[in-house]
Amino acid sequence: MGEELDFGFRTVVKFFEIDGQPVGFTTTHMNIWLIMIVLTILAIVVRIKLSSFTEVPTTRFQNIIETLVESLQGMVTGAMGEENKGFAPFYSSMLVFILVSNLMGLIGFRPPTADIATTFALSLTTFIMIQGYAIATNGFVNYLKGFFDPMPVLFPVNLLGELATPISLSFRLFGNLIGGTVIMALVYAALPAYLQVGIPAILHLYFDVFSGVLQSFIFVMLSMTFVSLSLE
Amino acid sequence: MDQITGRDLILACSAIGAGLAMIAGLGPGIGQGYAAGKATEAVGRQPEARGDIVSTMLVGQAVSETTGIYSFLIALILLFVKPLV
C-alpha cells in the first residue's frame, strides 16, 4: 500500500531540496495557475461583451452573468449588511476561485484546495483583514485592551482564540477536501478496472459536487462573518 | 515468520491510533444531526424563513464539524506522514 495510492501533490519542476524534501513547482501551483488563467479569460470576455449589454437583458449570456453577479452580491450584503457591499467583489472572486478549485476533482485534476498551503494562505487574508479592520474601527489602544477583556487573566485565552480562527478556517476546508480526495483514491485503488466507470460517479457527486460547493460557501460565509464582526 | 522490528511495531500502533482518533467522529455526527433536527422543526414552524434557516444551519454545522476534521487530520498524519517512525 502507499505506492498505488495517488492523492498527494507531486513536484513537477524541482528547484532545490530541504532535508531531502523536494521544493519546487508542484501540481498545486500548476492547477492554481490553470484556474487563474481560465477565470481571467472569462473576466476579459465578460468585460469585452459588456459594451453590447442592454438595459433589459436580451442574450442568454447577459442573463447568466447578471444572475451570477446579483446572487453573489446578495450573498455578501446578506451576510455583512448593506453598508459593507464594497466587499462584494473580493468575496465573490474568492468564492468563485474556491468553487472552481473544489470542482476540479471532477475532471481529473487534483483540487488545489486539498493542499494546506492554499487554504492557509486564503485564511491568512481573512486573519489579516480581521485584525486590520479591528484596529481601524476601534483604534490601536482599544484593540489591545480587547485582549484583556473581561479580566486580564484571560489574555492567553483571548490570544489563542484569535490565533485559532485562521487555523480552524483553513483546516476545515483542507480536511474536507483531503478527506474526499483520500476516499476517492482508496475507492479507485480498491475497484478493479472494469468497475471504475460507474460506481465512483456517485461518490464524486457527494465528495466533489455537494461537499465542494458547500465548503466553498461555508469558507466565504465564515470569513465574511468574522470580518463583519470586527467591523462593529 | 520474520522478526517484528521496532518500525513495524510503531506502524501498527499508528494504525490503531488512527482508528482511535476517528472515534471523535461521533461528536460532529450527533451535533450536526441535532442542528438538522432543530432546523427541520424551525422550517415546520416557519416555512417562509426556509432559506435563512438552511444557510444558518449549514454554517453552524460547519463550525461544529471542526473537531471531527481535527481528528481526521490526526488519523491521516499518523497513517501517511508517519511522524513517530
Side-chain angles (χ1 to χ4, degrees):
Chain A
M1 197 173 146
E3 281 75 28
E4 73 268 24
L5 275 179
D6 181 27
F7 58 81
F9 57 86
R10 272 163 298 170
T11 312
V12 181
V13 184
K14 197 169 81 175
F15 294 149
F16 53 86
E17 277 190 1
I18 297 175
D19 286 344
Q21 297 283 328
V23 176
F25 196 77
T26 60
T27 42
T28 306
H29 297 118
M30 213 169 69
N31 293 349
I32 284 183
W33 277 91
L34 205 66
I35 295 170
M36 273 159 55
I37 291 167
V38 168
L39 289 181
T40 313
I41 288 174
L42 184 72
I44 291 172
V45 167
V46 173
R47 183 69 189 81
I48 290 170
K49 291 228 178 179
L50 199 64
S51 53
S52 68
F53 277 9
T54 47
E55 197 166 329
V56 180
T58 46
T59 57
R60 191 179 297 167
F61 182 72
Q62 188 184 348
N63 263 324
I64 293 171
I65 296 298
E66 281 192 359
T67 317
L68 190 70
V69 171
E70 258 172 29
S71 56
L72 287 171
Q73 275 182 345
M75 188 191 78
V76 175
T77 50
M80 301 185 77
E82 196 65 43
E83 68 278 8
N84 292 325
K85 67 178 178 188
F87 286 101
F90 176 71
Y91 281 117
S92 308
S93 35
M94 199 185 211
L95 179 72
V96 172
F97 172 75
I98 299 175
L99 190 65
V100 175
S101 28
N102 287 355
L103 292 180
M104 248 188 154
L106 279 180
I107 47 172
F109 290 98
R110 188 174 183 280
T113 33
D115 186 343
I116 185 64
T118 316
T119 56
F120 196 67
L122 284 170
S123 70
L124 217 53
T125 56
T126 304
F127 178 68
I128 292 169
M129 277 171 83
I130 292 171
Q131 306 306 327
Y133 282 115
I135 293 174
T137 33
N138 299 328
F140 191 65
V141 179
N142 279 329
Y143 165 76
L144 283 184
K145 261 185 203 159
F147 281 107
F148 296 97
D149 232 24
M151 277 184 288
V153 190
L154 290 176
F155 171 68
V157 180
N158 286 333
L159 193 66
L160 276 181
E162 285 297 319
L163 292 178
T165 309
I167 295 173
S168 73
L169 206 57
S170 61
F171 272 93
R172 184 173 302 121
L173 184 60
F174 165 71
N176 274 290
L177 263 288
I178 196 82
T181 317
V182 168
I183 292 172
M184 289 314 298
L186 286 173
V187 167
Y188 274 117
L191 287 177
Y194 60 94
L195 279 179
Q196 286 190 359
V197 181
I199 294 171
I202 305 160
L203 291 168
H204 271 299
L205 194 66
Y206 177 75
F207 286 116
D208 285 335
V209 180
F210 177 72
S211 172
V213 172
L214 197 63
Q215 288 307 320
S216 53
F217 172 73
I218 280 166
F219 185 91
V220 175
M221 203 70 177
L222 285 177
S223 303
M224 287 192 299
T225 315
F226 286 138
V227 170
S228 63
L229 277 181
S230 75
L231 277 170
E232 285 167 1
Chain B
M1 196 186 156
D2 299 331
Q3 287 288 312
I4 296 176
T5 59
R7 185 188 153 83
D8 292 343
L9 189 66
I10 290 174
L11 283 181
C13 290
S14 296
I16 295 173
L20 286 178
M22 286 315 290
I23 293 177
L26 274 174
I30 295 170
Q32 290 187 336
Y34 191 71
K38 284 286 176 192
T40 325
E41 277 177 23
V43 173
R45 222 178 292 129
Q46 234 179 333
E48 67 275 8
R50 193 171 175 279
D52 281 347
I53 292 169
V54 169
S55 61
T56 314
M57 179 195 81
L58 287 176
V59 172
Q61 285 184 331
V63 174
S64 68
E65 200 185 33
T66 313
T67 51
I69 295 288
Y70 288 161
S71 75
F72 174 65
L73 282 175
I74 289 170
L76 274 187
I77 289 169
L78 281 176
L79 279 183
F80 296 111
V81 184
K82 304 183 186 86
L84 302 176
V85 173

